[in-house]
Amino acid sequence: NAGVTQTPKFQVLKTGQSMTLQCAQDMNHNSMYWYRQDPGMGLRLIYYSASEGTTDKGEVPNGYNVSRLNKREFSLRLESAAPSQTSVYFCASSLGGSDQPQHFGDGTRLSIL
Amino acid sequence: ILNVEQSPQSLHVQEGDSTNFTCSFPSSNFYALHWYRWETAKSPEALFVMTLNGDEKKKGRISATLNTKEGYSYLYIKGSQPEDSATYLCALRSRGTYKYIFGTGTRLKVLA
């Protein structure tokens, strides 16, 4: 069972470069999320998509854009990468109901020099 | 901005000890609280989803309780084992939103 698949697993960028992180889920989930994880900060929500066709900002959206391409896929784009965006990025999905947990991908480790 | 707080930040216990952690959150507009277990080099895995005041959930040696009126949840581990070593996260969802706010976690180390 694939679950939530993130690509790539690792990436190094130079400041100012752009990049898209891909996320796909095969569980027919309605809601999808992008988080970043930094030491001592826990998981912080960047953007989320409650359902296909909708996206909303989370706690830390600046410098990012997202696309909910279809029900399966939710991509995160860095238009002009900055060193402050060095982090581990996690994608998650959920059916969306109050009693439904989130399922996480394995993460993308992104370093920006 | 909602604040979800977890305590303690880290904890070392001996194998066989029982332990518990706290997740505190604003009680207004409560909708759901999740607990996740996060092992090093892996991704978070759901332990419990709690929605009702007074909820008690159990999975093996791990259990959780919820008090939405006073804004806290406890996670208990009975007879800790080295494989329980992980970071335990709680996440709050408020009514009217699909957003989750995570605490910074409690890092548990169980010493053999």
Side-chain angles (χ1 to χ4, degrees), chain A residues 31 33 35 37 40-45 48-50 57-59 90 94-107, chain B residues 1-2 9 31-34 36 38 41-46 48-51 89 91 93 97-105:
Chain A
S31 303
Y33 304 80
Y35 295 92
Q37 189 252 326
M41 302 290 285
L43 288 169
R44 291 185 293 168
L45 182 64
Y48 67 102
S49 171
K57 295 178 180 179
E59 300 173 76
F90 285 94
S94 168
L95 276 171
S98 65
D99 60 344
Q100 298 298 318
Q102 293 184 65
H103 298 259
F104 286 83
D106 290 336
Chain B
I1 296 177
L2 294 176
Q9 279 190 317
Y31 194 57
L33 187 89
H34 294 191
Y36 293 86
W38 194 359
K42 295 188 177 181
S43 54
E45 290 185 353
F48 304 114
V49 175
M50 310 182 82
T51 58
L89 297 171
R93 179 175 165 185
T97 179
Y98 283 82
K99 291 196 287 190
Y100 288 86
I101 305 297
F102 279 79
T104 52

Side-chain angles (χ1 to χ4, degrees), chain A residues 83-96:
Chain A
S84 61
Q85 293 177 306
T86 293
S87 189
V88 182
Y89 291 85
F90 285 94
C91 177
S93 70
S94 168
L95 276 171

Side-chain angles (χ1 to χ4, degrees), chain A residues 34-36 44-47 57-61 64 76 89:
Chain A
W34 276 106
Y35 295 92
R36 59 179 289 173
R44 291 185 293 168
L45 182 64
I46 305 170
Y47 271 93
K57 295 178 180 179
E59 300 173 76
V60 288
Y64 305 95
L76 178 72
Y89 291 85

